[in-house]
Amino acid sequence: MMIELRQAALTYQSPEGETEALRDITFDMEEGEFLSIVGPSGCGKSTLLSLIAGLERPDRGLVAVDGEAVTAPSPKVGFMPQRDQLFEWRSIWSNVTLGLQVTRRNDPARQARVRQLLERYGLADFAGKRPSQLSGGMRQRCALIRTLAADPCILLLDEPFSALDYQTRLSVSADIHHIIRQEHKTALLVTHDISEAIALSDRVAVLSKRPAVVRSVHQLGPLRTLSPMERRGAPEFQEFFNLIWKELDVNG
Ligand code: ADP
Ligand code: MG
């Protein structure tokens, strides 16, 4: 298994008191799989990604990546945040290679790989530009390429499209879906958008309100072979939407 969680639980301790974020999280992901996680706002979705990224430790239960219990951040796991976090005073090139510079792995072979990614995904001509000279969609692709530069096997995406307007969001999420498939990554996407989850993933896990437990996991079977845009037009799409909508405890 590429990702394995067994009854993982986490309670935050702070001077103001305790917040039980995750109560019982159990699921697996196979290599190359795309899983989306939906759940009410504040239920513990980002916390769940922090566990897999090795930024937080569970109080109980197991969190493992590629067969090993997670104890610290690992280069196997790439994290793509909600905001693209590109630095305006740096060029696109210097932004997408930032991770390599920081971890002192900015060698010619890795640079060549980044150049290839920029070319393949239509950004080569923008390497010398500043982030503000790019569209929102291009910036998101840069953020993804920066994450891919370190060649992680797992991508964690925390509501990566929420800053984009609806039209851009549709096309960028389809783009990014394509890139993740093409690069053979295992991807875990957190989103509050049920349609996005159904359009992009192989399975959708629904979390309860806080403290989170996994309420259900939906296998998207017949939709999996279709592109995100084709899925949105397929008759099964609405059926899955209704099913997941009922499970999702949006009213608390
Ligand atoms: P989501 O991403 O689903 O919106 P989060 O995982 O960010 O939810 O947060 C879950 C709960 O844990 C929230 O009540 C939040 O306020 C709390 N929380 C998140 N991070 C911390 C922290 N570092 N310290 C204390 N409480 C936190
Ligand atoms: Mg969050």
Side-chain angles (χ1 to χ4, degrees):
M1 281 302 157
M2 196 45 104
I3 299 180
E4 208 178 336
L5 282 89
R6 291 272 165 276
Q7 298 182 303
L10 185 144
T11 296
Y12 288 109
Q13 314 283 349
S14 72
E16 296 77 49
E18 294 192 338
T19 305
E20 186 183 5
L22 305 175
R23 176 164 287 177
D24 181 355
I25 304 293
T26 299
F27 68 88
D28 289 332
M29 284 181 70
E30 285 174 32
E31 186 172 0
E33 199 184 7
F34 198 134
L35 176 75
S36 289
I37 296 205
V38 296
S41 168
C43 78
K45 301 182 294 299
S46 296
T47 303
L48 173 52
L49 294 189
S50 305
L51 286 180
I52 299 167
L55 303 170
E56 297 281 355
R57 298 278 205 97
D59 306 319
R60 287 196 310 276
L62 169 81
V63 178
V65 162
D66 203 8
E68 283 177 46
V70 174
T71 55
S74 146
K76 283 181 188 166
V77 180
F79 188 79
M80 184 170 160
Q82 185 162 355
R83 305 203 149 258
D84 62 38
Q85 291 176 0
L86 299 175
F87 295 111
E88 188 50 40
W89 64 89
R90 289 172 163 259
S91 67
I92 292 304
W93 173 258
S94 138
N95 266 290
V96 291
T97 54
L98 181 64
L100 297 181
Q101 292 166 35
V102 171
T103 55
R104 305 212 174 133
R105 292 182 301 163
N106 201 13
D107 51 76
R110 288 202 174 83
Q111 287 185 10
R113 195 183 128 68
V114 174
R115 213 165 286 123
Q116 205 179 36
L117 287 169
L118 288 173
E119 248 160 55
R120 200 182 300 163
Y121 302 115
L123 292 163
D125 293 342
F126 296 86
K129 301 261 194 268
R130 304 279 156 178
S132 61
Q133 296 174 286
L134 271 59
S135 68
M138 293 169 97
R139 293 177 63 124
Q140 266 332 79
R141 270 184 282 154
C142 285
L144 180 64
I145 288 172
R146 177 167 61 189
T147 311
L148 291 173
D151 206 17
C153 9
I154 295 171
L155 291 172
L156 305 178
L157 306 117
D158 196 356
E159 309 205 22
F161 312 121
S162 51
L164 304 173
D165 67 74
Y166 183 68
Q167 263 66 243
T168 309
R169 190 179 172 116
L170 287 183
S171 81
V172 172
S173 61
D175 259 12
I176 284 185
H177 175 264
H178 176 72
I179 297 173
I180 289 170
R181 284 279 192 247
Q182 189 108 345
E183 305 296 324
H184 305 292
K185 301 300 177 189
T186 304
L188 180 51
L189 170 76
V190 158
T191 175
H192 56 256
D193 183 336
I194 301 174
S195 301
E196 189 169 278
I198 301 170
L200 299 179
S201 42
D202 300 317
R203 286 188 298 157
V204 180
V206 182
L207 300 188
S208 68
K209 64 183 184 198
R210 190 176 66 78
V213 302
V214 178
R215 286 187 71 133
S216 54
V217 180
H218 303 265
Q219 180 81 45
L220 298 179
L223 294 178
R224 292 178 54 176
T225 53
L226 305 180
S227 74
M229 286 301 181
E230 290 167 338
R231 292 187 197 194
R232 289 177 190 270
E236 294 88 355
F237 192 88
Q238 197 58 44
E239 290 167 29
F240 279 116
F241 187 97
N242 293 343
L243 197 65
I244 293 168
W245 172 254
K246 274 192 213 121
E247 293 278 330
L248 194 63
D249 201 355
V250 281
N251 299 316

